[in-house]
Amino acid sequence: MAPESHPGTVFRAATVVDGTGGPAYRGDVVVSGDRITAIGEPGTLGARHVVDADGLVLAPGFIDMHSHSDLQILAEPDHLAKVSQGVTLEVLGQDGLSYAPVDDATLAALRTQIAGWNDDPPGFDWNWRSVREYLDRLDRGIAVNAAYLVPQGTLRMLCVGFDDREATGDELAAMRRVLAESLREGAFGMSSGLTYTPGMYAPTSELAELCRVVAEHGGFYSPHHRSYGAGALAAYEEMIEVSRWSGCALHLAHATMNFEVNRDRAADLLSMVDGALADGVDITLDTYPYLPGATSLHALLPSWAAEGGVESTLERLRDSAARERIRHVMEVDGSDGNHGVPIDWDSIEINGVRDAGNTGLVGRSIAESARTAGKAPAELYMDVLVDERLGTSCLMHVGHEDNVRTIMRHHAHTGGSDGLLVGSRPHPRAWGTFPRYLGHYVRELGVLSLEECVAHLTARAADRLGLPDRGRIREGAAADLVLFDPDTIADTATFDDPRRTADGVHHVLVNGIPVLEHGNRTEALPGRALRRNP
């Protein structure tokens, strides 16, 4: 008997891991247009185009819940880093700093402040100011789908400025108004970067007031909270209390327990999360499957040194008295920018510079470069920030493997790369996060089953975003799909060679259109900006 014929494409005899966490099964899956239109027993369905999927896993496309592709997804639309991993949706606007909503002055400041995250490409067309206009720009052609969070630091920059103080009543009203407008324009919620200026200057009460607005629009709050180091548990508790008070759903960004003070303390975090969940607080979280973190090099400064914006920061870095004060805070007291922990210069590795004269620093720790230069580490650190006008990035070697494994097992867990795509040697998580989960932590270590891990990377994330038609393989769902070999899928990106594509990913569809075929990038740009309130 001939297979039932359909238009479109059939993935024949695939091992279907559908995103629900349920057992895998073998079957045919048909895609027509941008939807999954039929699922049947192996060999029972036909279509115009047939992909032999025997021995391969067909899963929903992976959802990167913490991405920093805000600019590079436009500047480099090929977007191979994410497409090659099987990512079909990214959540942008993270850590409280991104490029909408802005005015001209705010945009100019952001372009400098987060150049180490996203670069500042010459000749780039910055033709948006509002969230609506940014999303419309994405709709002009991107490789994967994108969702956006309103960045609270950008919001504060726009309405308050760079001062370390509480917002006035009028300023808070302005932030609430712009936030509400941005949510109506399609944002899925709000992010914060509470170790970054100026977002870190907001008190708990201000965050809670903003989260009430987010809750009123059905969104969620995704904070990079005030400490991942000495004050980590207190910082997590603050975010949970904001969620309790405001009624806003909470998604804890890159929910790690780092630095020596938090070795083997992941269980303490999860106990706190479980207690809040039992009380009815709506909490999810994301992590990346690596030990080092990554950020802008200037983010490690104490907050008072960055007050007033880029030029004020640079002025302090050129002043000998201010430099000595900065050094003492960073090395003795523990800068709030370094999570309250006295800095270990051996753990901070420069991984991206803009000035060609500083390329010799890339791939080396601050301590190592300082010894070579015959300088004190703090002196070299501040000299580099001045040379680079803050536009450089670093790796922070501060993680613990047991904490990483413990947190990824939690039922509220989702996956996020937190990957920066620019710099000479970016963190390999930008190219390897999702294959690393499936290869290293599923196949090699057995930390999660294949079905459970796929659920973390797909349906759980889609549920947090409120997207019932994504993250699962079922009839009528959006055709965001990845076909991979469970025996060979692996991250190949390394800290020495971070832009290597993964092994074992064969096909990727975004909205039913192939963006990867037989492991090769197509020219298609079928992604679009998804909107929470279309």
Side-chain angles (χ1 to χ4, degrees), residues 142-313:
I142 53 178
V144 303
N145 297 314
Y148 190 73
L149 301 175
V150 181
Q152 170 260 333
T154 298
L155 195 64
R156 203 172 209 271
M157 197 182 303
L158 177 66
C159 299
V160 180
F162 282 92
D163 295 340
D164 183 0
R165 61 173 175 81
E166 292 192 22
T168 67
D170 287 345
E171 289 166 342
L172 180 57
M175 284 191 285
R176 287 173 53 90
R177 183 173 62 253
V178 176
L179 175 59
E181 180 181 12
S182 298
L183 291 163
R184 288 192 296 269
E185 290 175 347
F188 282 71
M190 183 179 75
S191 76
S192 285
L194 300 178
T195 62
Y196 303 131
T197 59
M200 68 191 308
Y201 301 144
T204 306
S205 57
E206 181 179 307
L207 298 172
E209 285 291 341
L210 294 175
C211 281
R212 288 183 63 186
V213 177
V214 177
E216 289 166 2
H217 289 80
F220 66 93
Y221 178 40
S222 181
H224 165 134
H225 49 276
R226 297 190 196 275
S227 176
Y228 289 82
L233 291 177
Y236 282 117
E237 182 62 32
E238 179 192 15
M239 297 300 95
I240 291 172
E241 289 308 307
V242 165
S243 179
R244 289 183 195 272
W245 189 88
S246 66
C248 185
L250 178 64
H251 181 83
L252 297 169
H254 36 59
T256 56
M257 293 289 286
N258 289 334
F259 301 91
E260 191 59 30
V261 295
N262 289 316
R263 183 180 291 276
D264 300 323
R265 298 196 71 188
D268 296 337
L269 165 62
L270 298 181
S271 176
M272 181 186 299
V273 169
D274 286 339
L277 287 168
D279 290 342
V281 183
D282 183 359
I283 305 178
T284 51
L285 53 89
D286 67 66
T287 68
Y288 49 82
Y290 296 85
L291 301 188
T295 190
S296 299
L297 190 64
H298 67 85
L300 308 180
L301 289 167
S303 57
W304 59 261
E307 185 180 2
V310 172
E311 296 306 325
S312 296
T313 303

Side-chain angles (χ1 to χ4, degrees), residues 61-80:
F62 305 133
I63 298 176
D64 189 341
M65 286 295 291
H66 193 98
S67 167
H68 287 285
S69 302
D70 309 48
L71 190 56
Q72 290 301 306
I73 198 172
L74 296 171
E76 300 289 342
D78 177 74
H79 213 42
L80 185 61

Side-chain angles (χ1 to χ4, degrees), residues 33 83 115 143 466 469:
V83 167
D469 65 337

Side-chain angles (χ1 to χ4, degrees), residues 67-77 79 89-93 98-100 124-125 127-128 130-149 185-188 510-511 525-531:
S67 167
H68 287 285
S69 302
D70 309 48
L71 190 56
Q72 290 301 306
I73 198 172
L74 296 171
E76 300 289 342
H79 213 42
L89 170 60
E90 295 184 288
V91 184
L92 310 176
S98 189
Y99 304 103
F124 185 78
D125 181 12
N127 69 333
W128 69 82
S130 69
V131 167
R132 183 191 305 279
E133 290 167 343
Y134 176 69
L135 299 180
D136 287 346
R137 173 67 177 272
L138 293 174
D139 278 340
R140 285 167 45 180
I142 53 178
V144 303
N145 297 314
Y148 190 73
L149 301 175
E185 290 175 347
F188 282 71
V510 174
N511 298 320
L525 298 174
R528 66 177 189 271
L530 305 182
R531 291 162 170 83

